[in-house]
Structure formats: structure tokens, C-alpha cells
Amino acid sequence: MTTQNEEILETKNPRTLGPEFQPGQVIEYGVSDVANNFLNDTGYDIESLVFDLKTLAYSNPDSTPVFNNEPVQWGDVNGDGKIGYSNNPDLKNIFSDITIKDNIITFSDGVIPNGTLFYNPFATNPNVSPGAGIIPPVPAEQVDKDGPIRVASYYTAVPESTNVLGVLVFGALGVALKVKRSLHC
């Protein structure tokens, strides 16, 4: 998870996470190549993201080497020895806490403000992104750019200040009414 990369945005339009995607709602999609650009248009500031790798095995008899139900797991995006982190000086990591358990990566301890773009590079081991050798590139004219790396994802959001304030105000009113009633009895 990094801040937007202008060079990538010039070649690839971002996917929009719109208001129809609520906190905790799981969405599943196919990663088109090695990265996805996202626009956070959910109406919330995202405080954590979870990516659950669903492509746990892959077969391709036409590839070199031939793949026959080979296991797939998360891989190192940039060769720094750390899954989920970027050491690219042009990019800034958004989340400082990244946990990996089996096929699930959780990004937390950061915020993607509503209305901002972010860039999410993906890698698997072996590399099953289209155009990496095992799978042919996705044709440019293909409308649906989903690739074979299937991911289920969901997010948690920073509570909206108006909601928190409303809970505090109504809670304080409730306590005040109880105290007032107990004093009149």
C-alpha cells in the first residue's frame, strides 16, 4: 500500500471503491497485472485493508515451465525480502503495520483519506500475474481487466466524528436525565 504513483496513473485508470462498499463488506476481484490503483470514494477514511489471496493453486500446460496445480502464495513485490512493504524511494508506505498469516495480508496503522488515490502492488510466488511468463498478457482491448490472481478484500474505517459526537451527546443526555430523576425521587 503506497501513495499514488503518477507514472502508473498515466498508464492505468484507478478502480473506484465507491459508497456501495461498506466497512467489513467483502469484495472479490482479479488483479489485472502487477498492481491496482484505487480511488477511495467510500465516504470513509480507510484505517485498515485486508487482502485474502484466493488463487492458491494454478495450472497452465502451455507455460514454460508447465504448471500443474502448483501452489501459489503471496510474494515479494520488489525484492526487498519483505512481503507487503515497498522500498521504492518514489513511493511512501501508507500503513506501518503489515501482518501476513497464510494467504491473508492485513495492512493497518495508517489512513487512506476519503477522496484520495492509492497504489497497491501485488506479487505472488510463483509470479502468476499476466505477462510474467506463466500467463500471457491481458489483451489491451479487453474491457474486463481482471486477471487470474483472485483476491477477496475488505476494509475498516475511521469512525466518523459526527457519529462519535452524536453517541457522546446522547449518552451524556441519558446520564443527565437519570441523575435528574434520581434527585427528584
PDB file of all heavy atoms in Angstrom, residues 25-43:
ATOM      1  N   GLN A  25     -17.520  -5.167   4.368  1.00  0.00           N
ATOM      2  CA  GLN A  25     -18.108  -5.879   3.231  1.00  0.00           C
ATOM      3  C   GLN A  25     -16.986  -6.469   2.377  1.00  0.00           C
ATOM      4  O   GLN A  25     -16.080  -5.764   1.962  1.00  0.00           O
ATOM      5  CB  GLN A  25     -18.948  -4.926   2.392  1.00  0.00           C
ATOM      6  CG  GLN A  25     -19.555  -5.568   1.169  1.00  0.00           C
ATOM      7  CD  GLN A  25     -20.312  -4.564   0.303  1.00  0.00           C
ATOM      8  OE1 GLN A  25     -20.513  -3.419   0.693  1.00  0.00           O
ATOM      9  NE2 GLN A  25     -20.706  -5.008  -0.860  1.00  0.00           N
ATOM     10  N   VAL A  26     -17.057  -7.755   2.102  1.00  0.00           N
ATOM     11  CA  VAL A  26     -16.024  -8.434   1.316  1.00  0.00           C
ATOM     12  C   VAL A  26     -16.327  -8.288  -0.167  1.00  0.00           C
ATOM     13  O   VAL A  26     -17.449  -8.538  -0.609  1.00  0.00           O
ATOM     14  CB  VAL A  26     -15.938  -9.928   1.694  1.00  0.00           C
ATOM     15  CG1 VAL A  26     -14.899 -10.640   0.830  1.00  0.00           C
ATOM     16  CG2 VAL A  26     -15.596 -10.086   3.169  1.00  0.00           C
ATOM     17  N   ILE A  27     -15.321  -7.845  -0.919  1.00  0.00           N
ATOM     18  CA  ILE A  27     -15.424  -7.796  -2.377  1.00  0.00           C
ATOM     19  C   ILE A  27     -14.343  -8.707  -2.938  1.00  0.00           C
ATOM     20  O   ILE A  27     -13.288  -8.878  -2.337  1.00  0.00           O
ATOM     21  CB  ILE A  27     -15.285  -6.360  -2.929  1.00  0.00           C
ATOM     22  CG1 ILE A  27     -13.962  -5.727  -2.513  1.00  0.00           C
ATOM     23  CG2 ILE A  27     -16.448  -5.506  -2.498  1.00  0.00           C
ATOM     24  CD1 ILE A  27     -13.673  -4.402  -3.193  1.00  0.00           C
ATOM     25  N   GLU A  28     -14.617  -9.325  -4.073  1.00  0.00           N
ATOM     26  CA  GLU A  28     -13.635 -10.199  -4.695  1.00  0.00           C
ATOM     27  C   GLU A  28     -13.423  -9.756  -6.131  1.00  0.00           C
ATOM     28  O   GLU A  28     -14.361  -9.387  -6.825  1.00  0.00           O
ATOM     29  CB  GLU A  28     -14.098 -11.654  -4.660  1.00  0.00           C
ATOM     30  CG  GLU A  28     -13.010 -12.618  -5.099  1.00  0.00           C
ATOM     31  CD  GLU A  28     -13.360 -14.080  -4.877  1.00  0.00           C
ATOM     32  OE1 GLU A  28     -13.990 -14.403  -3.864  1.00  0.00           O
ATOM     33  OE2 GLU A  28     -12.980 -14.896  -5.746  1.00  0.00           O
ATOM     34  N   TYR A  29     -12.173  -9.763  -6.549  1.00  0.00           N
ATOM     35  CA  TYR A  29     -11.830  -9.351  -7.904  1.00  0.00           C
ATOM     36  C   TYR A  29     -10.533 -10.032  -8.322  1.00  0.00           C
ATOM     37  O   TYR A  29      -9.841 -10.637  -7.504  1.00  0.00           O
ATOM     38  CB  TYR A  29     -11.706  -7.821  -7.997  1.00  0.00           C
ATOM     39  CG  TYR A  29     -10.656  -7.241  -7.085  1.00  0.00           C
ATOM     40  CD1 TYR A  29      -9.359  -7.026  -7.527  1.00  0.00           C
ATOM     41  CD2 TYR A  29     -10.956  -6.937  -5.772  1.00  0.00           C
ATOM     42  CE1 TYR A  29      -8.392  -6.516  -6.687  1.00  0.00           C
ATOM     43  CE2 TYR A  29     -10.001  -6.424  -4.919  1.00  0.00           C
ATOM     44  CZ  TYR A  29      -8.719  -6.217  -5.385  1.00  0.00           C
ATOM     45  OH  TYR A  29      -7.768  -5.720  -4.541  1.00  0.00           O
ATOM     46  N   GLY A  30     -10.220  -9.927  -9.597  1.00  0.00           N
ATOM     47  CA  GLY A  30      -8.982 -10.473 -10.128  1.00  0.00           C
ATOM     48  C   GLY A  30      -8.000  -9.349 -10.405  1.00  0.00           C
ATOM     49  O   GLY A  30      -8.355  -8.339 -11.013  1.00  0.00           O
ATOM     50  N   VAL A  31      -6.778  -9.508  -9.932  1.00  0.00           N
ATOM     51  CA  VAL A  31      -5.748  -8.489 -10.158  1.00  0.00           C
ATOM     52  C   VAL A  31      -5.307  -8.590 -11.613  1.00  0.00           C
ATOM     53  O   VAL A  31      -4.956  -9.659 -12.094  1.00  0.00           O
ATOM     54  CB  VAL A  31      -4.558  -8.698  -9.206  1.00  0.00           C
ATOM     55  CG1 VAL A  31      -3.487  -7.658  -9.446  1.00  0.00           C
ATOM     56  CG2 VAL A  31      -5.036  -8.668  -7.768  1.00  0.00           C
ATOM     57  N   SER A  32      -5.333  -7.454 -12.284  1.00  0.00           N
ATOM     58  CA  SER A  32      -5.118  -7.468 -13.738  1.00  0.00           C
ATOM     59  C   SER A  32      -3.669  -7.687 -14.140  1.00  0.00           C
ATOM     60  O   SER A  32      -3.396  -8.259 -15.173  1.00  0.00           O
ATOM     61  CB  SER A  32      -5.619  -6.157 -14.331  1.00  0.00           C
ATOM     62  OG  SER A  32      -4.993  -5.077 -13.675  1.00  0.00           O
ATOM     63  N   ASP A  33      -2.717  -7.202 -13.384  1.00  0.00           N
ATOM     64  CA  ASP A  33      -1.310  -7.463 -13.695  1.00  0.00           C
ATOM     65  C   ASP A  33      -0.493  -7.424 -12.419  1.00  0.00           C
ATOM     66  O   ASP A  33      -0.621  -8.306 -11.603  1.00  0.00           O
ATOM     67  CB  ASP A  33      -0.774  -6.520 -14.789  1.00  0.00           C
ATOM     68  CG  ASP A  33      -1.126  -5.068 -14.540  1.00  0.00           C
ATOM     69  OD1 ASP A  33      -1.116  -4.637 -13.386  1.00  0.00           O
ATOM     70  OD2 ASP A  33      -1.412  -4.374 -15.521  1.00  0.00           O
ATOM     71  N   VAL A  34       0.317  -6.402 -12.211  1.00  0.00           N
ATOM     72  CA  VAL A  34       1.152  -6.372 -11.013  1.00  0.00           C
ATOM     73  C   VAL A  34       0.698  -5.343  -9.997  1.00  0.00           C
ATOM     74  O   VAL A  34       1.318  -5.204  -8.947  1.00  0.00           O
ATOM     75  CB  VAL A  34       2.636  -6.126 -11.368  1.00  0.00           C
ATOM     76  CG1 VAL A  34       3.197  -7.263 -12.183  1.00  0.00           C
ATOM     77  CG2 VAL A  34       2.804  -4.798 -12.084  1.00  0.00           C
ATOM     78  N   ALA A  35      -0.361  -4.592 -10.301  1.00  0.00           N
ATOM     79  CA  ALA A  35      -0.790  -3.554  -9.368  1.00  0.00           C
ATOM     80  C   ALA A  35      -2.208  -3.116  -9.662  1.00  0.00           C
ATOM     81  O   ALA A  35      -2.728  -3.331 -10.746  1.00  0.00           O
ATOM     82  CB  ALA A  35       0.138  -2.351  -9.455  1.00  0.00           C
ATOM     83  N   ASN A  36      -2.785  -2.497  -8.678  1.00  0.00           N
ATOM     84  CA  ASN A  36      -4.079  -1.845  -8.831  1.00  0.00           C
ATOM     85  C   ASN A  36      -3.983  -0.448  -8.256  1.00  0.00           C
ATOM     86  O   ASN A  36      -3.378  -0.241  -7.207  1.00  0.00           O
ATOM     87  CB  ASN A  36      -5.177  -2.594  -8.069  1.00  0.00           C
ATOM     88  CG  ASN A  36      -5.786  -3.694  -8.881  1.00  0.00           C
ATOM     89  OD1 ASN A  36      -6.143  -3.488 -10.034  1.00  0.00           O
ATOM     90  ND2 ASN A  36      -5.915  -4.854  -8.290  1.00  0.00           N
ATOM     91  N   ASN A  37      -4.544   0.508  -8.961  1.00  0.00           N
ATOM     92  CA  ASN A  37      -4.723   1.852  -8.430  1.00  0.00           C
ATOM     93  C   ASN A  37      -6.161   1.922  -7.951  1.00  0.00           C
ATOM     94  O   ASN A  37      -7.073   1.458  -8.633  1.00  0.00           O
ATOM     95  CB  ASN A  37      -4.534   2.905  -9.529  1.00  0.00           C
ATOM     96  CG  ASN A  37      -3.132   2.905 -10.057  1.00  0.00           C
ATOM     97  OD1 ASN A  37      -2.179   2.852  -9.295  1.00  0.00           O
ATOM     98  ND2 ASN A  37      -2.992   2.953 -11.365  1.00  0.00           N
ATOM     99  N   PHE A  38      -6.369   2.501  -6.776  1.00  0.00           N
ATOM    100  CA  PHE A  38      -7.704   2.618  -6.225  1.00  0.00           C
ATOM    101  C   PHE A  38      -7.984   4.067  -5.860  1.00  0.00           C
ATOM    102  O   PHE A  38      -7.101   4.775  -5.384  1.00  0.00           O
ATOM    103  CB  PHE A  38      -7.849   1.790  -4.941  1.00  0.00           C
ATOM    104  CG  PHE A  38      -7.842   0.309  -5.163  1.00  0.00           C
ATOM    105  CD1 PHE A  38      -6.681  -0.420  -4.973  1.00  0.00           C
ATOM    106  CD2 PHE A  38      -8.991  -0.361  -5.540  1.00  0.00           C
ATOM    107  CE1 PHE A  38      -6.675  -1.791  -5.157  1.00  0.00           C
ATOM    108  CE2 PHE A  38      -8.991  -1.724  -5.728  1.00  0.00           C
ATOM    109  CZ  PHE A  38      -7.829  -2.442  -5.531  1.00  0.00           C
ATOM    110  N   LEU A  39      -9.228   4.474  -6.052  1.00  0.00           N
ATOM    111  CA  LEU A  39      -9.710   5.748  -5.548  1.00  0.00           C
ATOM    112  C   LEU A  39     -10.610   5.420  -4.367  1.00  0.00           C
ATOM    113  O   LEU A  39     -11.587   4.677  -4.511  1.00  0.00           O
ATOM    114  CB  LEU A  39     -10.513   6.502  -6.611  1.00  0.00           C
ATOM    115  CG  LEU A  39     -11.287   7.723  -6.114  1.00  0.00           C
ATOM    116  CD1 LEU A  39     -10.334   8.783  -5.554  1.00  0.00           C
ATOM    117  CD2 LEU A  39     -12.138   8.299  -7.230  1.00  0.00           C
ATOM    118  N   ASN A  40     -10.266   5.929  -3.185  1.00  0.00           N
ATOM    119  CA  ASN A  40     -11.118   5.738  -2.019  1.00  0.00           C
ATOM    120  C   ASN A  40     -12.258   6.742  -2.108  1.00  0.00           C
ATOM    121  O   ASN A  40     -12.115   7.898  -1.753  1.00  0.00           O
ATOM    122  CB  ASN A  40     -10.340   5.934  -0.718  1.00  0.00           C
ATOM    123  CG  ASN A  40     -11.246   5.834   0.494  1.00  0.00           C
ATOM    124  OD1 ASN A  40     -12.405   5.423   0.384  1.00  0.00           O
ATOM    125  ND2 ASN A  40     -10.738   6.223   1.644  1.00  0.00           N
ATOM    126  N   ASP A  41     -13.395   6.278  -2.599  1.00  0.00           N
ATOM    127  CA  ASP A  41     -14.589   7.106  -2.712  1.00  0.00           C
ATOM    128  C   ASP A  41     -15.713   6.478  -1.887  1.00  0.00           C
ATOM    129  O   ASP A  41     -16.874   6.542  -2.247  1.00  0.00           O
ATOM    130  CB  ASP A  41     -14.990   7.229  -4.184  1.00  0.00           C
ATOM    131  CG  ASP A  41     -15.983   8.348  -4.425  1.00  0.00           C
ATOM    132  OD1 ASP A  41     -16.023   9.294  -3.614  1.00  0.00           O
ATOM    133  OD2 ASP A  41     -16.736   8.269  -5.413  1.00  0.00           O
ATOM    134  N   THR A  42     -15.318   5.830  -0.771  1.00  0.00           N
ATOM    135  CA  THR A  42     -16.271   5.108   0.068  1.00  0.00           C
ATOM    136  C   THR A  42     -17.087   6.028   0.963  1.00  0.00           C
ATOM    137  O   THR A  42     -18.124   5.638   1.474  1.00  0.00           O
ATOM    138  CB  THR A  42     -15.540   4.111   0.981  1.00  0.00           C
ATOM    139  OG1 THR A  42     -14.648   4.836   1.838  1.00  0.00           O
ATOM    140  CG2 THR A  42     -14.769   3.068   0.176  1.00  0.00           C
ATOM    141  N   GLY A  43     -16.594   7.248   1.178  1.00  0.00           N
ATOM    142  CA  GLY A  43     -17.215   8.135   2.150  1.00  0.00           C
ATOM    143  C   GLY A  43     -16.572   8.007   3.522  1.00  0.00           C
ATOM    144  O   GLY A  43     -16.959   8.698   4.461  1.00  0.00           O
TER     145      GLY A  43
END
